[in-house]
C-alpha cells in the first residue's frame, strides 16, 4: 500500500510538472532561510505567484549561507543553475569574479525593459552590491547592521541609570567597570566578532579595512586593519576580557544565548537579532547605536551591512529573465519591503519602504527598531564605509577569528594578532587574485 | 607452509577479481586521479577558467607554517583517538567476557553508541560541555574548575578526542569481544593451574593471541581518526580555538567548501592520501611483524 502511494505521488508530480511549465515560465529561486524567515520568504513568493499568471517562482531552501553558495556553484558546474541565487555578503567578491556565471541585476532589468530606478534604494544598503560607477550587480535582500543591545534590568541592579549614555566606548568602559565592581559575571559579550569589531569598527571610524577602497577598486587590494584605531579597540577588548568584563562565547552568535537568558548586560549583535531577543528576553531591554571611540576624526561615520543579496545567474532564456526582473521588482515594491522590514527587523532596501514604516507608526510602537536605519543612513558613505569586497573573505574571517581568540586568551597582543591576520589574509587575497585574473 | 591455489588459464581468475577492480576503479582510482590532476591547477570556483601551476599548490601549502602545524595537530589527535577508543574497548571486552549472566544485555548496551552518527555525537558532547548550559561544565564549575573549550586549546582537543572516540569504543569492543571468544579455554586453564593470576594470564597469553585483531583495529582506527572525524570537529570547535583542532581533513573541507579554493583543497587531499598510504605501509611492515596469526 505504502509503495503504491509513493508511486502515485511520483507519477503525479511527473505528470503535473510539464503542465505547469507549459502554462507559466518557471523561475527557480534558491535561498538559505528556514524557520520563521523561511515562512516569510514562502509567503512573498506565494503573493507574487498569485498576483500574476505569466511567471511562477519556485523557492528552494539549500541549507545555510555557505551551503547555498556551494549548491549554486555545483549546480552551475553541472549546468543546472537556478535563475536567482541568494549569496551572503562575504561571497560578493566571489560572485563578482565569476563574470561568465552571473548576469548583473541592472542588465537583467535593462534587457527585460523593466522599470528600475537605482536611486530608490538606500545608498548604504545597495552600496555593498554596486560597481564603483553605482550600477547594481545584485539585489540586496536581507540586510542588517550591528547595534548595542542593553539589559536595562542588569544596569539597574548594578545601580546604574538604565538610560545611561552608551554612545562611546569610553562611556561603555565606565559602565563595564561599575558592572564588574558590583559583581556582575558577564558585563559585555558579542556575536560575529570580525564583522562588528573590525569590519564595522573600521567603517564607523572612517578608516580603511583594506586598501583600494576596501577592495572595490581592484583585486590587488591588501588588508589594512592593523592600523591604530583597530589595534586600540581590540587591545581594549582584550584587556576587558582579561579583567572579566568582556565574555567571549564563540565565533558566530553563541553570545546571543547568554544575553537573552539575562546573563550578560551588554551585547553587540546585528539589528536582526530583534525578533529573537523580543521573544525570549524576560527583562527590559533597549537598542542603542553601536558605540564609537570619541576623539577619532570622522567618527561616527556609518556602519555597514551584513546579510545576503540575490544574484541572477547566466544560461537562461530572455523570457525567464523577464520573470526574474518582475520578481525582483516585486520584492523591491514599497508594501512588500515595508512588511519584510517590520516582520524581520532587517533594514528596508528602499527609501520609500522606510518612510512607509514610519508613517505606519511602527517605530513609535516598537521603540529602537529605527536605531539601525538611522545609524546606517546618518552620513553619506565614504570609500571606507561603503562595504567590503574581498576574495576568500569567508576564510579571511576565519583567520581573524583565530587571531582574535589569541587576543582574548592573552596569547598575543592586539598589534601582534592584527599584523599576523593581515599577513595571513593577504596570502589568500593574492591567491584569489591569481584564480580570478 | 603457505597453501597456494593455482588456476589453469587466465579467464576465471580475472573474472573473480573483476568486481573488486571495478569497485576500486570507480570509487578509488578515478577520484584519486581526479584529485591529483586538479591539484596541478588553480581554478576559479565556477569552473570558468583554470591555470596550470604545476606543483605550485604544493609549494604554497608547504610554505604555510599553519598548514605544517596541522600535521602535528593531526598526529596528536589521531594518536589520542586511537588510544582512547581502543584501550577502554579492550577493558570492557575483557570484563564482558568474564560475565556468566546477562552478557547479552551488556553487549547490546555497549554496542549502542556505534549507531550514533559522528555529527550527532558531536552535538551531544558539545551540549554536555557547553560553557553556559552544559551539565558537565556546570558540575566542573561547582568543583571550582572553569571549563572553557571555546578559548582553552587543551580542553578543546580533549573534547573532540572524547567525542570522536566514544562511538568507536563500541566498534572496537565488538571485535575484541569476538576475538576473546576464540581464545582457547584450555590454554588459559593450563596457565591458571600453573598458578598464573588473571592479569598475568591476560598480558602473557590473551593479549598476544589478540594481536591480529588489535593490529586490524589499529589500522582501521587510525584511518577513522584521519578521515571520518570531520563531522565531530565541525560541530564542536570548527577547528578552533585559534587552530588547536584544525586537523588535515578539516582543512581540506574549509579550503574547498568555505574558501572555494579547489586547487589547494585538491593538493591537500593528495598529501593526505600519501600520508595515510605511508602510515599504512609502515604499520604493515613494522607492526605486523609483531603479530602472531
Amino acid at each position: 500500500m505504502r509503495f503504491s502511494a509513493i508511486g502515485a505521488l511520483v507519477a503525479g508530480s511527473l505528470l503535473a510538472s510539464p503542465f505547469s511549465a507549459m502554462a507559466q515560465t518557471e523561475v527557480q529561486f534558491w535561498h538559505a532561510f528556514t524557520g520563521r524567515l523561511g515562512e516569510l520568504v514562502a509567503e512573498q513568493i506565494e503573493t507574487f505567484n498569485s498576483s500574476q499568471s505569466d511567471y511562477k517562482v519556485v523557492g528552494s531552501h539549500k541549507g545555510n549561507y555557505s551551503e547555498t553558495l556551494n549548491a549554486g556553484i555545483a549546480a552551475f558546474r553541472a549546468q543546472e543553475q537556478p535563475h536567482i541565487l541568494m549569496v551572503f555578503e562575504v561571497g560578493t567578491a566571489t560572485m563578482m569574479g565569476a563574470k561568465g556565471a552571473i548576469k548583473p541585476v541592472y542588465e537583467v532589468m535593462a534587457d527585460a525593459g523593466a522599470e528600475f530606478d537605482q536611486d530608490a534604494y538606500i545608498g548604504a544598503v545597495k552600496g555593498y552590491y554596486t560597481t564603483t560607477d553605482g550600477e547594481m550587480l545584485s539585489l540586496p535582500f536581507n540586510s542588517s547592521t550591528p547595534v548595542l543591545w542593553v539589559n536595562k534590568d542588569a544596569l539597574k541592579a548594578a545601580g546604574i541609570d538604565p538610560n545611561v549614555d552608551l554612545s562611546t566606548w569610553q562611556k561603555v568602559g565606565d559602565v563595564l567597570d561599575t558592572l564588574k565592581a558590583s559583581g556582575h559575571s558577564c558585563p559585555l559579550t558579542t556575536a560575529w566578532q570580525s564583522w562588528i569589531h573590525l569590519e564595522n569598527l573600521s567603517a564607523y571610524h572612517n578608516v580603511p579595512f583594506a586598501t583600494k577602497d576596501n577592495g572595490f577598486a581592484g583585486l590587488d587590494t591588501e588588508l589594512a586593519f592593523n592600523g591604530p584605531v583597530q589595534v586600540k579597540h581590540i587591545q581594549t577588548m582584550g584587556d576587558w576580557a582579561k579583567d572579566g568584563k568582556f565574555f567571549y562565547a564563540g565565533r558566530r552568535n553563541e553570545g546571543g544565548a547568554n544575553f537573552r537568558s539575562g546573563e550578560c548586560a551588554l551585547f553587540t549583535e546585528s539589528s536582526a537579532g530583534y525578533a529573537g531577543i523580543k521573544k525570549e528576553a524576560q527583562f527590559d531591554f533597549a537598542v542603542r547605536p553601536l558605540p564609537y571611540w570619541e576623539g577619532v576624526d570622522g567618527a561616527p561615520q556609518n556602519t555597514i551591512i551584513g546579510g545576503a543579496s540575490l544574484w541572477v545567474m547566466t544560461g537562461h532564456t530572455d523570457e525567464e529573465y523577464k520573470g526574474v526582473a518582475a520578481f525582483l521588482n516585486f520584492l523591491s515594491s514599497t508594501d512588500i519591503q515595508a512588511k519584510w522590514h517590520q516582520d524581520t527587523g532587517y533594514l528596508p532596501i528602499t527609501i520609500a519602504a522606510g518612510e512607509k514604516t514610519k508613517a505606519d507608526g511602527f517605530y513609535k510602537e516598537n521603540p529602537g527598531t529605527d536605531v539601525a536605519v538611522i545609524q546606517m543612513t546618518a552620513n553619506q558613505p565614504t570609500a571606507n564605509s561603503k562595504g567590503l569586497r574581498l576574495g576568500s573573505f569567508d576564510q579571511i574571517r576565519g583567520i581573524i577569528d583565530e587571531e582574535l581568540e589569541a587576543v582574548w586568551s592573552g596569547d598575543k597582543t592586539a598589534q601582534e594578532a592584527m599584523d599576523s591576520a593581515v599577513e595571513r589574509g593577504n596570502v589568500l587575497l593574492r591567491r584569489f587574485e591569481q584564480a580570478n585574473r | 607452509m603457505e597453501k597456494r591455489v593455482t588456476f589453469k588459464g587466465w579467464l576465471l581468475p580475472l573474472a573473480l577479481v573483476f568486481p573488486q577492480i571495478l569497485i576500486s576503479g570507480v570509487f578509488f582510482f578515478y577520484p584519486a586521479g581526479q584529485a591529483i590532476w586538479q591539484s596541478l591547477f588553480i581554478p576559479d570556483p565556477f569552473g570558468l577558467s583554470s591555470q596550470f601551476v604545476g606543483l605550485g599548490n604544493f609549494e604554497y601549502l608547504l610554505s604555510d607554517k599553519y598548514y605544517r602545524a596541522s600535521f602535528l595537530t593531526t598526529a596528536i589527535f589521531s594518536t589520542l583517538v586511537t588510544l582512547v577508543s581502543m584501550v577502554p574497548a579492550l577493558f570492557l571486552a575483557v570484563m564482558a567476557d568474564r560475565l556468566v549472566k546477562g552478557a547479552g544485555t551488556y553487549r547490546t548496551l555497549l554496542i549502542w553508541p556505534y549507531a550514533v552518527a559522528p555529527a550527532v555525537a558531536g552535538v551531544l558532547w558539545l551540549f554536555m560541555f557547553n560553557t553556559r548550559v552544559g551539565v558537565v561544565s556546570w558540575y566542573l564549575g561547582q568543583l571550582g574548575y572553569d571549563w572553557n573549550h571555546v578559548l582553552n586549546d587543551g580542553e578543546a582537543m580533549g573534547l573532540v578526542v572524547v567525542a570522536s572516540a566514544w562511538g568507536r569504543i563500541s566498534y572496537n569492543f565488538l571485535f575484541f569481544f569476538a576475538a576473546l571468544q576464540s581464545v582457547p579455554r584450555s590454554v588459559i586453564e593450563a596457565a591458571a593451574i600453573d598458578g598464573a593470576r588473571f592479569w598475568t594470564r591476560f598480558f602473557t597469553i590473551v593479549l598476544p593471541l589478540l594481536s591480529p585483531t588489535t593490529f586490524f583495529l589499529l589500522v582501521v582506527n587510525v584511518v577513522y581518526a584521519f578521515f571520518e572525524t570531520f563531522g565531530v570537529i565541525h560541530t564542536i570547535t570548527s577547528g578552533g580555538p585559534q587552530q588547536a583542532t584544525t586537523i588535515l581533513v578539516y582543512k581540506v573541507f574549509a579550503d574547498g567548501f568555505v574558501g572555494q579554493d579547489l586547487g589547494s583543497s585538491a593538493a591537500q587531499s593528495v598529501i593526505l592520501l600519501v600520508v595515510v598510504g605511508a602510515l599504512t605501509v609502515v604499520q604493515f611492515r613494522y607492526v605486523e611483524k609483531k603479530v602472531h596469526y
Side-chain angles (χ1 to χ4, degrees):
Chain A
M1 273 312 283
R2 194 185 280 165
F3 282 104
S4 63
I6 292 172
L9 271 177
V10 171
S13 58
L14 285 175
L15 280 173
S17 52
F19 279 112
S20 56
M22 256 187 270
Q24 292 174 311
T25 307
E26 261 192 22
V27 172
Q28 296 290 333
F29 169 29
W30 288 6
H31 63 79
F33 283 157
T34 48
R36 177 80 185 121
L37 287 172
E39 287 166 28
L40 289 167
V41 171
E43 193 186 310
Q44 287 184 332
I45 294 171
E46 189 46 47
T47 313
F48 174 75
N49 286 343
S50 53
S51 72
Q52 43 75 46
S53 56
D54 296 338
Y55 311 106
K56 182 173 178 239
V57 173
V58 181
S60 316
H61 170 244
K62 292 285 168 184
N64 65 28
Y65 282 143
S66 294
E67 287 160 1
T68 303
L69 176 57
N70 279 318
I73 289 173
F76 182 81
R77 284 172 159 254
Q79 299 181 339
E80 285 173 1
Q81 67 273 28
H83 302 81
I84 305 172
L85 180 68
M86 178 189 274
V87 179
F88 58 162
E89 90 282 7
V90 298
T92 304
T94 302
M95 296 304 286
M96 275 191 66
K99 294 225 162 49
I102 55 141
K103 193 171 162 77
V105 162
Y106 73 89
E107 245 179 71
V108 174
M109 295 297 195
D111 291 356
E115 227 176 277
F116 187 51
D117 176 14
Q118 303 199 33
D119 293 335
Y121 295 84
I122 294 177
V125 176
K126 75 171 175 190
Y128 211 106
Y129 306 114
T130 56
T131 63
T132 33
D133 312 331
E135 300 276 32
M136 264 164 90
L137 296 167
S138 62
L139 186 81
F141 186 68
N142 58 309
S143 313
S144 60
T145 202
V147 289
L148 178 70
W149 296 88
V150 181
N151 180 337
K152 290 168 96 173
D153 292 354
L155 293 189
K156 255 183 256 169
I160 304 165
D161 173 14
N163 296 316
V164 64
D165 185 358
L166 290 168
S167 57
T168 68
W169 284 113
Q170 282 94 339
K171 284 170 182 150
V172 170
D174 293 342
V175 168
L176 294 182
D177 287 344
T178 316
L179 281 164
K180 182 70 196 166
S182 79
H184 201 282
S185 67
C186 177
L188 169 69
T189 190
T190 190
W192 312 110
Q193 48 185 357
S194 166
W195 181 56
I196 298 175
H197 294 284
L198 277 176
E199 297 161 35
N200 268 291
L201 178 93
S202 304
Y204 211 27
H205 294 81
N206 199 15
V207 290
F209 184 82
T211 60
K212 300 271 169 182
D213 298 351
N214 285 343
F216 277 64
L219 285 173
D220 53 343
T221 170
E222 289 192 344
L223 299 172
F225 55 77
N226 53 349
V229 174
Q230 292 97 334
V231 167
K232 180 189 173 196
H233 181 70
I234 298 304
Q235 189 58 54
T236 308
M237 298 272 292
D239 293 343
W240 287 345
K242 199 175 70 194
D243 299 342
K245 294 181 215 159
F246 161 55
F247 174 76
Y248 173 64
R251 294 180 176 184
R252 286 171 267 223
N253 52 359
E254 289 89 345
N258 300 59
F259 179 74
R260 292 193 298 270
S261 69
E263 192 190 328
C264 295
L266 303 179
F267 177 40
T268 49
E269 155 72 313
S270 152
S271 53
Y274 183 75
I277 292 171
K278 192 178 181 191
K279 195 171 140 201
E280 285 180 39
Q282 303 278 337
F283 50 83
D284 197 13
F285 67 86
V287 193
R288 300 289 188 81
L290 194 70
Y292 62 94
W293 283 103
E294 204 173 355
V296 175
D297 261 356
Q301 177 52 40
N302 63 293
T303 50
I304 53 177
I305 57 168
S309 69
L310 305 183
W311 289 83
V312 182
M313 303 196 75
T314 53
H316 301 289
T317 65
D318 287 349
E319 185 54 27
E320 288 164 344
Y321 283 127
K322 278 189 182 153
V324 171
F327 182 59
L328 296 184
N329 261 337
F330 164 83
L331 289 176
S332 313
S333 63
T334 306
D335 285 354
I336 295 295
Q337 259 309 303
K339 183 170 165 15
W340 176 250
H341 168 47
Q342 294 170 24
D343 283 347
T344 60
Y346 282 118
L347 298 163
I349 61 170
T350 60
I351 298 160
E355 277 164 3
K356 181 179 187 309
T357 306
K358 200 176 193 173
D360 288 350
F362 180 79
Y363 297 135
K364 273 217 182 80
E365 284 162 37
N366 300 279
T369 44
D370 56 344
V371 164
V373 183
I374 296 168
Q375 181 181 303
M376 281 284 304
T377 53
N379 293 302
Q380 198 58 38
T382 68
N384 293 328
S385 70
K386 200 180 165 194
L388 301 169
R389 190 159 299 158
L390 304 170
S392 304
F393 194 33
D394 209 1
Q395 265 188 311
I396 293 175
R397 270 194 181 164
I399 290 174
I400 292 173
D401 282 336
E402 290 171 15
E403 297 292 347
L404 286 177
E405 281 169 353
V407 178
W408 309 152
S409 65
D411 289 350
K412 284 186 183 175
T413 66
Q415 186 72 58
E416 285 165 1
M418 292 302 102
D419 288 349
S420 163
V422 163
E423 193 192 322
R424 291 171 65 192
N426 281 339
V427 174
L428 291 180
L429 287 177
R430 294 294 71 78
R431 245 186 107 75
F432 182 80
E433 188 185 2
Q434 194 179 354
N436 287 277
R437 200 171 275 154
Chain B
M1 277 298 283
E2 267 184 283
K3 271 189 191 167
R4 284 179 187 274
V5 181
T6 42
F7 290 100
K8 285 176 202 153
W10 282 101
L11 228 52
L12 182 64
L14 271 184
L16 289 173
V17 293
F18 179 72
Q20 183 59 41
I21 290 178
L22 185 74
I23 288 171
S24 305
V26 171
F27 291 104
F28 179 71
F29 289 108
Y30 175 69
Q34 284 276 313
I36 293 171
W37 178 247
Q38 279 183 8
S39 71
L40 306 176
F41 294 87
I42 295 186
D44 80 317
F46 288 84
L48 295 164
S49 67
S50 89
Q51 298 162 56
F52 182 77
V53 289
L55 296 176
N57 283 324
F58 294 94
E59 211 179 299
Y60 162 72
L61 279 172
L62 296 173
S63 64
D64 177 2
K65 69 173 187 222
Y66 290 91
Y67 183 66
R68 295 198 305 263
S70 166
F71 279 91
L72 182 66
T73 311
T74 311
I76 296 171
F77 175 77
S78 336
T79 312
L80 287 175
V81 168
T82 309
L83 280 177
V84 174
S85 63
M86 283 178 69
V87 175
L90 179 59
F91 178 76
L92 289 169
V94 170
M95 291 299 133
D97 190 42
R98 297 181 75 191
L99 282 175
V100 183
K101 265 189 188 169
T105 318
Y106 278 101
R107 221 161 48 213
T108 312
L109 289 177
L110 283 168
I111 293 163
W112 267 2
Y114 188 54
V116 180
V120 178
V123 173
L124 218 65
W125 283 88
L126 179 62
F127 197 63
M128 286 194 285
F129 281 88
N130 184 302
T131 44
R132 201 179 61 83
V133 296
V135 179
V136 181
S137 51
W138 187 81
Y139 279 112
L140 286 172
Q142 295 295 303
L143 295 172
Y145 187 84
D146 185 18
W147 176 271
N148 188 357
H149 66 261
V150 180
L151 277 181
N152 184 312
D153 44 7
E155 288 170 7
M157 177 59 99
L159 186 56
V160 288
V161 165
V162 172
S164 311
W166 174 62
R168 290 302 280 194
I169 293 179
S170 305
Y171 177 86
N172 296 340
F173 166 80
L174 210 60
F175 278 86
F176 278 128
F177 189 75
L180 281 170
Q181 304 272 306
S182 64
V183 172
R185 299 281 143 183
S186 55
V187 185
I188 292 174
E189 278 159 18
I193 291 165
D194 288 344
R197 281 161 185 267
F198 177 74
W199 288 112
T200 319
R201 295 200 302 267
F202 175 74
F203 283 110
T204 54
I205 298 171
V206 178
L207 202 56
L209 284 171
L210 286 181
S211 61
T213 308
T214 315
F215 176 65
F216 163 77
L217 288 177
L218 181 70
V219 176
V220 170
N221 282 308
V222 167
V223 173
Y224 164 80
F226 262 83
F227 289 107
E228 290 167 51
T229 47
F230 156 80
V232 173
I233 293 190
H234 190 50
T235 44
I236 298 185
T237 62
S238 303
Q242 299 179 52
Q243 289 217 332
T245 54
T246 305
I247 60 169
L248 290 168
V249 69
Y250 191 72
K251 219 172 137 54
V252 173
F253 161 80
D255 287 1
F257 290 94
V258 178
Q260 269 96 31
D261 186 346
L262 298 174
S264 159
S265 191
Q268 288 177 46
S269 32
V270 171
I271 292 175
L272 203 56
L273 193 76
V274 172
V275 169
V276 173
L279 213 61
T280 312
V281 168
V282 167
Q283 285 175 334
F284 272 92
R285 288 204 61 167
Y286 299 100
V287 185
E288 203 192 17
K289 283 191 178 153
K290 298 201 168 71
V291 172
H292 310 274
Y293 286 103

